[in-house]
Amino acid sequence: MIRNEILSVSDKDLKSMSTAEVYEVVLEVVQNRIKEVEHVKGDRKVYYMSAEFLIGKLLTNNMMNLGIYDEIGAVLKENGHDISDIEGFDPEPSLGNGGLGRLAACFLDSIATLGINGEGLGLNYHFGLFKQVFRNHLQTETKDVWLDIPSWLRKTDVVYPVQIGDVSLKSRMYEIDVLGYRGKKTTLRLFDLESIDETLVGEGIRFDQEAIDKNLTLFLYPDDSTETGLRLRFAQQYFMVKSGLSYILESHKDVLTELHKHVVIQINDTHPSMVVVLLIQALQERGVSFEDAVEIVSNTCAYTNHTILAEALETWPINYFEAVDADLVPILHKLQDIVATRSTDPKVQLIDENNKVHMASLAIHFSFSTNGVAALHTEILVKSELKEFADLYPTRFNNKTNGITFRRWLQFSNRELTSFLESRIGDEFKDEATALKAFEAFKDDKEVQDSILAIKTSQKERLAKHLAATKNITINTNSIFDIQIKRLHEYKRQQLNMLYIIDLMLRIRDGYKPSRHVTFFFGSKAAPAYIIAKDIIHSLLTLSEIIANDKELSQYMQIVFVENYNVTEAEYLIPACDVSEQISLASKEASGTGNMKLMLNGALTLGTLDGANVEIKDHVGEDNIYIFGKHSDEIIEHYEKADYVSREYYDNDPRIKAAVDFLISDEMLAAGNKDNLARLHHEFITKDWFMTLIDFEDYVTVKDTCFNDYEDRATWAKKMIVNIANAGFFSSDRTIADYNRDIWKV
Ligand code: 26Q
């Protein structure tokens, strides 16, 4: 009985405890229950190696997966505590930047749920992704503290030596239990530098980047705009891979020469890709010949590519390897020799003429699988971005369209919608997401339409309450909620959304009266050294003030830029969304996963034919999605010909000109900073590398149509129903089953 368990954990009376004390009690009770859950097991095992795991808060997730949420809530209530305060107290481990890290977290959830023998391996950053604080309409960064109270992280006795250059370090393993739904549990193993020194951190997120014996696991991805930052990042990768391999090799020490029969290492983007070299080295040290080691490693490793942006493809100077462990250099050269026998094409070489090691090349040549994360993405990899590799290894390339865990993104974050779905189609969808399809039969049912609209309104109210309580923001729940939540990047084109907003302001000032108020939500962090991204944030915050202070405009619109967007904020924003902004420049967004979370919660997608949007469109049909913009092949051609000239759009389209020029209007300059605004203005006209202006007209047209369609509430509700009913394909249970069927075979 939960009641007895709760009451027996502490001698103190629950009624007189603080939130912090109650939290510790609940934590202990839940952890005890988790101990009883069976761990995934089996002969063959997959290790998901990733520099990021953006797991989010765990308490609610775990209580619900154990089926003890309501019971605990009731006991707390009897004793004068509100379970949501306790949930709020749970720290959020933000050990990731965005999509790639969140995907890894969804994958672990599905691995545990499906009972697949797999574990996560990564790093225990003391401070996760920085905390975003707005000051004078500018993003500033402070450290994200998540380890200051007892929580889910468990210290183990396992410590491995790691030598970096002439520095001898110790790596300690920590564990976090990951609980599946009605399933088993697995473990996320995070390695940490034993000699870490948190006092190294100064103001904001500044710290001494040289002292790797003290700083190695302090921060998630420190600054990569400087040489020391880059070397530190490299050392982090080395530390992660070396520690992870120590664990893997210890666990399978009796089967080393047949490692590939017992182990798969899934390399999450290139960040852990030096596992190829380090595993060859480790096998050689244990008596395996170089040739055999290459063979074993190539049959053990599999690589996932998450990006088509050339600048994100990692290359490391060979002297970085040398500085960390000089013995790696001859191995790299021998691998390069092998590559040279397979192809002389410069595009597929491992080491280039500048002595840089191409990490994607390493991962592709010496693994048995390379996958993209959405159909279009994989197609672009095969046909253009990684064409030369795909020609060499046609059977190795495969697609695994991303997915999301429906536990967190439907069952926990939108309980109202979940129970309503259950009332109509039963609860099979909780075990098999495609069972949601049965909901489509209700699309013309007036009562269901009304309920679906009512649930949306109530989720807007939930968001409104949350924003009022935590950020002192007041919003209008009778408004269209237009939401763009994702990392700030020019290719994602938050700036295109901004130009629409400015255009709308100008139209309203010109006498146009929109039929309904729209709230434009943004949630987004910019990399600390990404200047233009920060200028975009500044412009949006400045615009937000101008609109708020303008009586006429604020009757029709509001901009809400949610500070410090993270998994917790996402759980409030996503259920409340009407229009999901997925407006990346076609060919640039590998997949996107926010698009899936939003459709599942009944938002309609306004998007380009990019990433997984293409598959969303295929599943819902073109009447139930708002597609605009140029197609990826046309965009790719523009890049090849280098013939996009933003100034031509600016000069020839008065609407574009007016919207762009508004950035440096007197009104903006009075509320914002000239430096930031003028720089962004100049960028639009002279560069605009991600072709914002090419899609402006089409975007405005389709977005206007979308907002007008909102007024036909019955038709809109029908589209919502079709979206929810067809989201099943995007469950990470499906994705993981696909990985297992085609790649892992555990
Ligand atoms: C690389 C070099 C130096 C410093 C940092 C990095 C770096 C760090 C993080 C490069 C990439 C990332 C993260 C990439 C990422 O999140 N990609 C997203 O992955 C999602 C899951 O597959 C996709 O849905 C998104 O489309 C993709 O952008």
Side-chain angles (χ1 to χ4, degrees):
M1 275 287 287
I2 281 289
R3 178 179 315 275
N4 299 341
E5 290 167 48
I6 291 182
L7 300 177
S8 65
V9 163
S10 162
D11 304 334
K12 216 169 143 185
D13 181 11
L14 205 58
K15 287 197 176 75
S16 60
M17 284 188 195
S18 66
T19 302
E21 288 167 322
V22 178
Y23 173 76
E24 280 194 44
V25 168
V26 174
L27 187 70
E28 192 173 327
V29 168
V30 176
Q31 281 174 335
N32 286 336
R33 283 290 182 104
I34 293 176
K35 273 188 206 142
E36 293 163 18
V37 177
E38 193 191 343
H39 200 280
V40 293
K41 58 174 187 290
D43 174 49
R44 192 171 155 78
K45 184 165 176 180
V46 56
Y47 294 93
Y48 198 82
M49 214 183 249
S50 174
E52 306 191 10
F53 287 93
L54 189 43
I55 50 185
K57 287 177 189 263
L58 291 169
L59 181 62
T60 314
N61 189 79
N62 289 344
M63 290 190 293
M64 288 193 142
N65 272 351
L66 287 165
I68 55 176
Y69 181 88
D70 292 337
E71 239 178 306
I72 290 187
V75 178
L76 295 185
K77 197 165 178 194
E78 283 163 26
N79 289 279
H81 297 283
D82 188 338
I83 192 165
S84 59
D85 295 337
I86 311 301
E87 294 173 89
F89 196 77
D90 196 32
E92 168 173 338
S94 288
L95 310 183
N97 276 287
L100 164 152
R102 182 54 232 175
L103 186 78
C106 286
F107 279 7
L108 289 184
D109 179 292
S110 287
I111 284 172
T113 299
L114 299 181
I116 288 172
N117 191 28
E119 290 187 333
L121 299 176
L123 288 174
N124 185 42
Y125 306 105
H126 286 236
F127 306 109
L129 184 61
F130 65 85
K131 196 167 156 214
Q132 179 189 54
V133 180
F134 294 145
R135 274 204 207 108
N136 304 322
H137 300 337
L138 294 168
Q139 168 179 300
T140 61
E141 299 92 22
T142 62
K143 63 179 191 273
D144 161 62
V145 182
W146 70 286
L147 287 172
D148 55 338
I149 56 166
S151 169
W152 302 95
L153 191 74
R154 191 166 54 233
K155 189 173 181 175
T156 74
D157 298 332
V158 180
V159 177
Y160 298 118
V162 177
Q163 180 83 19
I164 297 191
D166 49 19
V167 191
S168 300
L169 305 170
K170 284 188 182 140
S171 170
R172 183 182 292 275
M173 185 197 284
Y174 288 79
E175 299 173 339
I176 293 180
D177 293 318
V178 179
L179 208 56
Y181 175 65
R182 292 182 190 164
K184 302 198 166 101
K185 69 177 174 200
T186 184
T187 312
L188 170 57
R189 300 184 187 279
L190 300 174
F191 296 95
D192 195 4
L193 178 70
E194 188 72 346
S195 51
I196 200 85
D197 182 0
E198 289 192 12
T199 66
L200 234 53
V201 185
E203 209 195 312
I205 51 172
R206 266 185 244 274
F207 66 102
D208 173 1
Q209 299 200 351
E210 302 272 357
I212 64 159
D213 57 324
K214 298 198 181 93
N215 70 17
L216 199 63
T217 49
L218 267 184
F219 282 96
L220 167 78
Y221 291 153
D223 180 15
D224 63 332
S225 61
T226 62
E227 164 86 12
T228 25
L230 284 171
R231 282 190 184 265
L232 176 52
R233 184 179 156 76
F234 183 82
Q236 280 192 334
Q237 294 185 350
Y238 181 82
F239 185 84
M240 167 176 74
V241 170
K242 191 83 182 170
S243 309
L245 272 184
S246 297
Y247 170 66
I248 295 173
L249 292 171
E250 190 177 275
S251 311
H252 304 272
K253 56 175 176 291
D254 302 327
V255 291
L256 291 185
T257 54
E258 295 197 314
L259 194 67
H260 54 288
K261 294 192 179 151
H262 303 271
V263 170
V264 182
I265 300 174
Q266 188 69 41
I267 305 175
N268 197 27
D269 218 281
T270 52
H271 319 152
S273 59
M274 60 177 85
V275 69
V276 167
V277 195
L278 267 59
L279 183 52
I280 291 174
Q281 180 190 43
L283 290 172
Q284 282 186 284
E285 282 167 5
R286 289 162 178 78
V288 181
S289 72
F290 175 76
E291 290 70 24
D292 288 350
V294 171
E295 189 65 21
I296 294 169
V297 170
S298 304
N299 287 310
T300 302
C301 294
Y303 158 62
T304 306
N305 175 289
H306 294 267
T307 180
I308 0 195
L309 293 188
E311 60 266 34
L313 287 179
E314 288 184 299
T315 58
W316 292 117
I318 203 159
N319 65 329
Y320 282 24
F321 285 88
E322 191 174 3
V324 164
D325 178 356
D327 294 343
L328 298 173
V329 176
I331 300 179
L332 284 165
H333 283 298
K334 280 162 91 175
L335 293 176
Q336 167 56 41
D337 292 343
I338 295 178
V339 171
T341 64
R342 297 183 190 173
S343 168
T344 51
D345 190 331
K347 289 204 177 121
V348 304
Q349 299 309 306
L350 178 61
I351 305 172
D352 68 17
E353 66 281 5
N354 300 315
N355 262 325
K356 282 189 160 174
V357 181
H358 288 238
M359 302 309 279
S361 177
L362 182 67
I364 298 168
H365 284 296
F366 303 102
S367 68
F368 67 90
S369 164
T370 293
N371 76 282
V373 290
L376 177 69
H377 170 57
T378 304
E379 188 187 317
I380 293 173
L381 292 181
V382 170
K383 289 199 182 146
S384 97
E385 223 48 44
L386 298 176
K387 179 177 189 311
E388 293 72 19
F389 290 100
D391 288 347
L392 259 187
Y393 310 116
T395 58
R396 285 188 200 172
F397 278 72
N398 64 97
N399 177 58
K400 295 288 165 283
T401 297
N402 282 166
I404 56 171
T405 166
F406 282 30
R407 268 74 65 186
R408 184 174 291 265
W409 299 110
L410 176 63
Q411 291 173 228
F412 312 157
S413 55
N414 200 341
R415 288 167 218 170
E416 232 181 322
L417 179 56
T418 305
S419 359
F420 181 68
L421 289 168
E422 274 181 279
S423 76
R424 296 297 151 144
I425 59 168
D427 69 352
E428 196 197 334
F429 70 88
K430 292 183 172 176
D431 295 288
E432 174 46 59
T434 52
L436 279 175
K437 187 73 181 173
F439 191 51
E440 195 164 343
F442 293 90
K443 68 178 195 279
D444 296 310
D445 181 324
K446 177 89 180 65
E447 216 181 299
V448 172
Q449 291 176 351
D450 288 346
S451 302
I452 239 30
L453 293 174
I455 291 169
K456 187 58 78 184
T457 303
S458 120
Q459 292 302 314
K460 289 182 182 180
E461 282 155 6
R462 173 170 167 260
L463 172 63
K465 245 175 148 173
H466 169 72
L467 291 177
T470 59
K471 320 241 181 206
N472 202 17
I473 293 175
T474 311
I475 56 172
N476 169 3
T477 52
N478 191 28
S479 167
I480 300 174
F481 281 20
D482 176 282
I483 301 191
Q484 188 169 17
I485 39 178
K486 48 185 82 251
R487 282 302 289 259
L488 204 315
H489 200 291
E490 287 162 278
Y491 85 77
K492 295 180 186 281
R493 298 197 298 187
Q494 280 93 352
Q495 72 277 21
L496 176 58
N497 195 347
M498 178 173 80
L499 291 184
Y500 177 90
I501 295 172
I502 297 175
D503 181 73
L504 182 62
M505 290 168 64
L506 298 178
R507 279 192 277 163
I508 293 171
R509 286 182 170 170
D510 242 13
Y512 170 59
K513 301 215 179 311
S515 39
R516 191 182 295 257
H517 186 279
V518 184
T519 310
F520 300 94
F521 290 90
F522 293 86
S524 209
K525 290 180 184 178
Y530 190 171
I531 293 181
I532 290 294
K534 288 182 146 179
D535 291 342
I536 294 171
I537 293 182
H538 177 73
S539 306
L540 282 165
L541 290 170
T542 306
L543 273 172
S544 159
E545 182 194 308
I546 289 179
I547 295 168
N549 291 334
D550 184 310
K551 278 222 173 65
E552 196 196 4
L553 290 178
S554 51
Q555 279 174 41
Y556 298 108
M557 59 202 295
Q558 181 182 10
I559 296 178
V560 175
F561 205 129
V562 178
E563 191 178 47
N564 198 41
Y565 173 67
N566 57 12
V567 175
T568 306
E569 298 302 330
E571 289 165 7
Y572 284 95
L573 284 157
I574 289 170
C577 177
D578 295 309
V579 179
S580 158
E581 296 273 351
Q582 307 300 336
I583 61 177
S584 55
L585 176 65
S587 82
K588 293 297 176 191
E589 188 71 87
S591 162
T593 45
N595 46 3
M596 302 169 186
K597 294 162 198 166
L598 288 154
M599 84 178 286
L600 174 61
N601 281 273
L604 306 194
T605 304
L606 169 58
T608 48
L609 285 177
D610 200 15
N613 297 352
V614 176
E615 287 156 88
I616 291 179
K617 182 191 133 234
D618 291 344
H619 279 85
V620 302
E622 53 192 36
D623 291 345
N624 299 298
I625 189 167
Y626 293 88
I627 296 291
F628 73 94
K630 296 264 187 283
H631 291 199
S632 51
D633 19 6
E634 199 175 324
I635 298 298
I636 291 170
E637 205 177 307
H638 280 306
Y639 278 109
E640 277 164 8
K641 294 189 179 152
D643 63 356
Y644 170 76
V645 183
S646 64
R647 184 177 277 282
E648 285 171 6
Y649 289 86
Y650 172 84
D651 285 339
N652 297 330
D653 185 334
R655 259 174 111 170
I656 290 182
K657 182 168 192 309
V660 171
D661 284 347
F662 189 80
L663 285 174
I664 50 163
S665 61
D666 292 344
E667 213 175 346
M668 284 293 278
L669 294 174
N673 299 339
K674 182 160 183 220
D675 283 357
N676 304 85
L677 297 168
R679 185 165 47 216
L680 184 58
H681 179 259
H682 185 253
E683 184 81 15
F684 265 124
I685 301 171
T686 60
K687 192 165 165 211
D688 190 26
W689 179 247
F690 293 99
M691 306 184 196
T692 317
L693 307 184
I694 209 170
D695 285 335
F696 176 80
E697 283 291 345
D698 202 13
Y699 180 55
V700 173
T701 308
V702 176
K703 192 159 170 166
D704 280 351
T705 306
C706 173
F707 288 167
N708 288 330
D709 285 359
Y710 183 90
E711 295 313 315
D712 180 352
R713 300 308 288 137
T715 310
W716 187 274
K718 186 168 156 180
K719 293 178 204 271
M720 290 170 69
I721 293 167
V722 174
N723 269 270
I724 297 165
N726 289 286
F729 175 76
F730 301 101
S731 161
S732 50
D733 294 349
R734 187 270 311 152
T735 313
I736 286 301
D738 286 354
Y739 271 90
N740 197 36
R741 185 193 59 227
D742 299 342
I743 306 174
W744 303 340
K745 304 180 200 295
V746 308

